[in-house]
Amino acid sequence: YARIGLTLQLVASPAASAKGEKKDGAAADGASPSDMVRDTIITVLNQEQSTDLLAPDGKEHLKQAIRAAIAARDPQLKIADIYFTEFLIQQ
């Protein structure tokens, strides 16, 4: 069992701010960027083992895996930092 809350700090894109990008940021297929991010994070978490997450560098490894997976799916989405707001692992 894992209960993990996190917050992503995104780097604002100068091009998006200048264009006045859509408020909801919906993609052409109806999925929002937040849906893609949630799906990506869940996919990364499903690949992790509880022992790996509880290791001394487990949280940092998870942050890097999330960052890399999101960058692979949407290279324009830049993450400045990832903050854990909740981290509970039950073995």
Side-chain angles (χ1 to χ4, degrees):
Y1 174 78
R3 182 177 177 131
I4 299 172
L6 52 90
T7 300
L8 301 178
Q9 180 183 7
L10 302 177
V11 174
S13 164
S17 299
K19 290 180 185 177
E21 197 172 13
K22 282 183 170 180
K23 187 176 181 179
D24 63 355
D29 64 359
S32 72
S34 63
D35 293 336
M36 181 277 297
V37 169
R38 287 179 185 183
D39 178 67
T40 303
I41 291 170
I42 290 169
T43 301
V44 170
L45 286 170
N46 280 333
Q47 297 171 357
E48 298 293 328
Q49 299 293 319
S50 61
T51 52
D52 295 334
L53 294 173
L54 292 171
D57 64 341
K59 290 178 189 164
E60 189 58 37
H61 169 74
L62 181 58
K63 286 181 181 184
Q64 296 304 322
I66 290 170
R67 189 182 312 256
I70 291 173
R73 285 188 73 177
D74 186 353
Q76 295 179 344
L77 188 61
K78 304 293 184 199
I79 299 172
D81 209 346
I82 299 174
Y83 303 101
F84 287 109
T85 57
E86 191 173 11
F87 198 89
L88 174 67
I89 304 293
Q90 181 179 355
Q91 293 186 350

